[in-house]
Amino acid sequence: MEWAPEILSVNDRLLLLAVCDSESRGEDAATLLSQEQVDWEQLGRDSGGNRCDSFVAELLSHPSLRSHLEPERAADWRARGMLSVFRMETALMRVRDLGKAFHAAGISMLAYKGVDFQLRCYSSERPRGFGDIDILVAPSDAERAAACLAAAGYHHVDRQKPLAYYRNFHLHAVYRHPRQPWPVELHWALDSPFAAGLDPTALILRAARSSAELGPSVLRASPIDALALMCIHLDKHLGHAAWLPGASVRLKAVLIESGLIWLVDIVRWLQQHSAPYSPDQIVERMRQLGAEQSYIVALRLASDLEPKTLPTWVAQQTARMPRRIPLIVRLIYPDLARRRAVDGAAEKRRMRLLTMSQLGGFRPLRLLQFLLPAARIPLTPRTPIAARVVGAARRGGLLLANTLALAQATVRERWGRR
């Protein structure tokens, strides 16, 4: 693999080798370890953050690397790989249990992203990692779904604001359990109420079906819809990275945001599930779901990771992305946009933009997205003018209502302290 060492650290390149399908990746990793010093503690943090422990563990077990690892370190990574398997099995069991509880309450629950892609694209011996468990319900079922989670021992992470606040101003709420390792993200929408487009939740739930792996109580998206869900999620968190110049620069931005596993998800889907569909069929469904731009963004980042093993039509789709770097991307990545190594000042700026505000419950980056022109890929459908006018008025009303709700919550909190 040809990656720019002036942009990607030795840890970055080891992570990328771990998730790639190259037959020479073991030998490539051995060459890398013989030439450069690895920060093993940082590699552990990077691997865990990118949910790639099982892949790194397998890479480090390659015979070519035995002379480069101390026995204790090799044993530690074997243990991390086995722990990944245990955590995956526990996550699947938890989703099945939640599905039964929701089904008993008459709620249709869809499991997507991590758990769904584990079953579609990964083996039980080399599983993907999980940061949380994502479930999707119809908006009308959100209150009852929250009650089911409470009955199962979960509590909302932000006890200061009622669920109604999140229903009005967010797309999901996060719940934790004192004895479960992962939070549960309860989604009733796939895009923020402040977004201009239509939310595709109803379309995806209508096409979803249950499966043998998770039982009759849990829905899973259709194959193309599963891809769309991951593309929408990836674009929401990593979309700006796709507009940077050069594969190494884009991959560095992905690693900064701990999003490598999402690229692997897209790659695996394209390798294993795209054959029954024509490119036009996939694009048409993406348009129906309002996810065409997210799809192109995801394809570009996936082709950076695996430029040689994806279907030939992927390159035709990614060629649609303009070369011009949008202003918002330059503001987020002032270093990488100039093809320079990551620097401290730029890191601090990114931290400020991407850290969740505890007061408002949103990242400052979201304000920039509303204020600055949106990056757009040519030939993707434009939102009609009438819809944009109505959407702008609706978002203005939501912003005002959000400001009032926050002010009321602040007054109640201060009054309670007194």
Side-chain angles (χ1 to χ4, degrees), residues 18-341:
V19 301
C20 287
D21 290 333
S22 170
E23 294 182 359
S24 65
R25 63 195 186 97
E27 290 76 13
D28 293 341
T31 301
L32 187 61
L33 292 180
S34 67
Q35 296 173 348
E36 301 195 50
Q37 190 70 31
V38 177
D39 183 342
W40 291 103
E41 290 187 8
Q42 185 61 46
L43 179 64
R45 289 191 291 269
D46 294 341
S47 174
N50 283 278
R51 277 83 81 201
C52 296
D53 277 354
S54 71
F55 306 98
V56 177
E58 184 184 63
L59 176 65
L60 296 180
S61 69
H62 194 277
S64 300
L65 297 174
R66 286 175 185 164
S67 61
H68 299 281
L69 269 74
E70 299 173 358
E72 295 81 1
R73 200 178 307 284
D76 178 58
W77 277 101
R78 282 197 301 272
R80 290 180 73 129
M82 289 187 286
L83 181 60
S84 297
V85 174
F86 173 77
R87 288 173 63 85
M88 177 270 296
E89 294 290 351
T90 307
L92 294 180
M93 290 173 55
R94 196 59 186 159
V95 170
R96 294 187 190 104
D97 291 342
L98 288 173
K100 291 175 184 177
F102 277 48
H103 183 72
I107 302 169
S108 296
M109 183 192 95
L110 183 140
Y112 75 110
K113 286 180 1 189
V115 168
D116 180 57
F117 268 76
Q118 167 62 40
L119 296 173
R120 290 181 194 273
C121 301
Y122 298 88
S123 69
S124 57
E125 295 79 18
R126 194 186 177 199
R128 80 190 295 286
F130 297 89
D132 50 38
I133 293 174
D134 293 276
I135 58 177
L136 176 67
V137 301
S140 58
D141 289 334
E143 297 283 350
R144 289 190 299 143
C148 280
L149 288 172
Y154 286 84
H155 64 84
H156 195 282
V157 296
D158 184 359
R159 305 188 188 207
Q160 299 298 322
K161 299 186 185 71
L163 179 63
Y165 174 84
Y166 283 85
R167 291 287 313 279
N168 288 332
F169 306 118
H170 292 269
L171 67 156
H172 66 73
V174 181
Y175 292 81
R176 293 189 182 275
H177 193 287
R179 294 185 300 278
Q180 296 295 333
W182 306 277
V184 170
E185 284 196 356
L186 171 63
H187 292 251
W188 49 82
L190 297 172
D191 209 346
S192 164
F194 297 93
L198 296 176
D199 189 89
T201 298
L203 290 174
I204 289 172
L205 288 174
R206 196 176 304 146
R209 298 290 183 270
S210 61
S211 68
E213 296 94 337
L214 293 178
S217 302
V218 180
L219 295 176
R220 292 173 64 196
S222 70
I224 296 181
D225 289 1
L227 175 65
L229 284 167
M230 187 56 71
C231 291
I232 291 169
H233 176 76
L234 186 149
D235 188 23
K236 194 185 305 295
H237 292 276
L238 305 175
H240 295 111
W243 299 82
L244 289 167
S248 293
V249 171
R250 292 190 288 267
L251 289 172
K252 181 64 178 182
V254 168
L255 291 166
I256 289 173
E257 298 302 317
S258 298
L260 181 58
I261 194 62
W262 304 328
L263 267 64
V264 183
D265 289 335
I266 302 296
V267 166
R268 293 290 184 92
W269 193 98
L270 293 169
Q271 291 172 337
Q272 300 175 23
H273 298 283
S274 63
Y277 308 102
S278 70
D280 290 341
Q281 282 180 299
I282 299 176
V283 169
E284 178 58 31
R285 182 57 173 170
M286 294 295 167
R287 285 177 178 165
Q288 292 173 2
L289 299 175
E292 185 178 2
Q293 175 147 323
S294 297
Y295 170 62
I296 303 301
V297 162
L299 291 186
R300 182 173 198 178
L301 293 173
S303 61
D304 289 335
L305 184 63
E306 286 284 1
K308 297 179 180 179
T309 64
L310 299 184
T312 55
W313 49 262
V314 170
Q316 298 172 347
Q317 295 287 359
T318 58
R320 294 168 56 184
M321 288 200 68
R323 293 188 178 183
R324 182 175 175 273
I325 305 174
L327 175 59
I328 190 170
V329 175
R330 295 182 183 276
L331 291 174
I332 300 169
Y333 303 106
D335 42 7
L336 296 176
R338 295 180 174 86
R339 296 178 184 263
R340 297 175 182 171

